[in-house]
Amino acid sequence: MNPWHDHAHVDIEEAGRALGHDFHTLSQIPKQADWPAAVCAGFDAAAHWHSHAHRPGPAHRRPHADRFTRKWLQLRLNAWRRQRAVANDVTPQLLRELDVTRCPVTREVLTHGTLQDTDGSVDRLNNDAAYAASNLAVMSVRANRAKGALSFAQVMARAHSVEASEGLTPTEWLRLAALMLGPCHATCPHDAPALPLCAPLPVHAVRLALQQVQRLFTEHCLRQAGKNRLLRDFSGACRSDAARLRLAALGHAVHEGLKHTEGHGLDDTRWDVWLQPAVMAALLRWREALSEAEWARVAALSGRLSQARRETPERLQLWQMPTRGFVPLRTGWA
């Protein structure tokens, strides 16, 4: 039950009551003393209905929520408290799909419910947008805390530092910047800088064409057969011999570079291939050899090969960017 699908017409109190209803109906979480009044009212109404509609017994007990449902309920409560919009594509199933075993920023193994810095946390990548499927990532509490309300430019400034800051090394800040790049440039992709894709992107997050290309080369170029297949796919978009030669050089650079990563291309350290200057330079030389029409074909092809969903203006409306991700208020908050 999520009445946030049309944020321009949300009754905030009703959204709180709906959240309280879901806490009772979908979990065994008891009512908390610090919950807002509207959430408590929804919880009490659901409890009253349940007690009158069902006879006592095991068949009618409240369900045991898995960690994704609990995380979803808590995410909505935290967003409600801060007047942040939550799109209707944010569901327990989405959180299950976003789940990862290691933080993409710190590469620590993620824990759950330990109240430690290694616990997994769902965060918005563009802080000026709502909680929406294509704007979310799972990262450690440590990475989330460091990110805070920083803008993309502020994260990049920390990545360019020579010293660690706020608990993250410059390389970790760069990984965070790679995650934020697409969502922070969703409406202005031509303004985005070319960054090394040194972290795996969330499965549903907005990714730019250059990132999509980097992802494909990272995932397919370790083995000769995969590299050759990818080069054949992209060669059709190249209209000049120079572009095809630079494409081949890129494939070779990534293939060799993956062998020299710490995990030899077999674990998350494979993304460090783009931190090797020769590899990133090969990518940019190929890009420079392509006309805008050729690059458009490369971008379209990379999307098809990745089975990516194109982000549309209609879907971006869910991000509530005119209000910087806040819900336009019609009533006060409890």
Side-chain angles (χ1 to χ4, degrees):
M1 184 177 180
N2 187 358
W4 299 79
H5 61 281
D6 183 357
H7 299 298
H9 301 91
V10 162
D11 182 315
I12 300 303
E13 295 301 310
E14 178 56 32
R17 288 190 289 271
L19 175 56
H21 173 278
D22 287 352
F23 263 110
H24 185 278
T25 305
L26 301 176
S27 78
Q28 294 182 2
I29 298 171
K31 186 170 71 171
Q32 305 296 304
D34 64 344
W35 280 357
V39 178
C40 290
F43 186 96
D44 290 342
H48 178 78
W49 180 88
H50 188 271
S51 66
H52 286 77
H54 301 295
R55 295 179 181 178
H60 301 297
R61 288 175 182 164
R62 293 167 60 195
H64 177 75
D66 63 21
R67 67 180 175 90
F68 302 107
T69 299
R70 293 194 302 271
K71 178 76 74 175
W72 175 65
L73 292 169
Q74 191 62 47
L75 180 153
R76 289 169 58 197
L77 178 61
N78 292 341
W80 199 94
R81 291 182 186 278
R82 294 181 290 125
Q83 307 177 15
R84 285 290 184 183
V86 181
N88 64 347
D89 59 1
V90 178
T91 64
Q93 179 58 33
L94 172 75
L95 300 188
R96 185 175 286 105
E97 294 169 4
L98 290 176
D99 195 41
V100 292
T101 58
R102 289 182 178 273
C103 173
V105 176
T106 66
R107 293 183 177 167
E108 300 166 297
V109 175
L110 292 178
T111 54
H112 305 286
T114 68
L115 302 181
Q116 302 297 314
D117 282 353
T118 54
D119 275 358
S121 174
V122 180
D123 194 26
R124 292 168 299 128
L125 294 172
N126 183 337
N127 282 327
D128 289 332
Y131 287 89
S134 49
N135 189 36
L136 295 181
V138 172
M139 63 185 72
S140 67
V141 168
R142 177 162 76 92
N144 194 344
R145 184 187 302 119
K147 175 180 173 292
L150 296 178
S151 67
F152 175 78
Q154 290 171 321
V155 169
M156 280 301 301
R158 286 157 174 78
H160 287 141
S161 174
V162 296
E163 297 180 349
S165 57
E166 296 159 81
L168 298 182
T169 67
T171 298
E172 289 171 333
W173 281 114
L174 185 58
R175 292 175 193 149
L176 181 56
L179 299 182
M180 295 173 64
L181 182 65
C184 289
H185 294 86
T187 59
C188 53
H190 296 294
D191 295 337
L195 293 185
L197 184 60
C198 50
L201 298 178
V203 292
H204 294 290
V206 171
R207 59 193 62 166
L208 304 183
L210 195 68
Q211 291 184 304
Q212 195 76 274
V213 169
Q214 289 173 286
R215 178 174 172 269
L216 287 167
F217 273 83
T218 306
E219 294 183 342
H220 295 283
C221 281
L222 178 61
R223 303 190 183 282
Q224 191 73 33
K227 182 197 77 168
N228 292 340
R229 185 165 54 250
L230 197 62
L231 294 182
R232 285 195 300 271
D233 288 335
F234 280 117
S235 65
C238 302
R239 292 291 181 261
S240 69
D241 290 339
R244 282 187 285 272
L245 285 172
R246 293 188 182 186
L247 171 63
L250 171 60
H252 176 75
V254 176
H255 178 69
E256 293 300 318
L258 286 168
K259 299 176 185 177
H260 292 92
T261 58
E262 184 178 332
H264 307 291
L266 298 174
D267 59 19
D268 277 355
T269 63
R270 61 183 170 165
W271 303 102
D272 292 344
V273 70
W274 299 103
L275 297 177
Q276 299 175 24
V279 176
M280 196 64 192
L283 173 66
L284 297 180
R285 281 197 297 270
W286 177 50
R287 173 65 182 91
E288 291 167 359
L290 299 172
S291 67
E292 288 305 311
E294 288 172 311
W295 180 248
R297 286 193 289 272
V298 167
L301 177 58
S302 67
R304 288 197 299 274
L305 292 175
S306 300
Q307 298 181 322
R309 180 177 60 186
R310 187 176 181 84
E311 202 65 47
T312 64
E314 290 75 23
R315 286 182 51 77
L316 286 177
Q317 287 180 3
L318 296 173
W319 289 30
Q320 291 295 310
M321 296 177 79
T323 57
R324 298 181 57 238
F326 290 99
V327 178
L329 297 181
R330 287 177 54 195
T331 64
W333 287 69

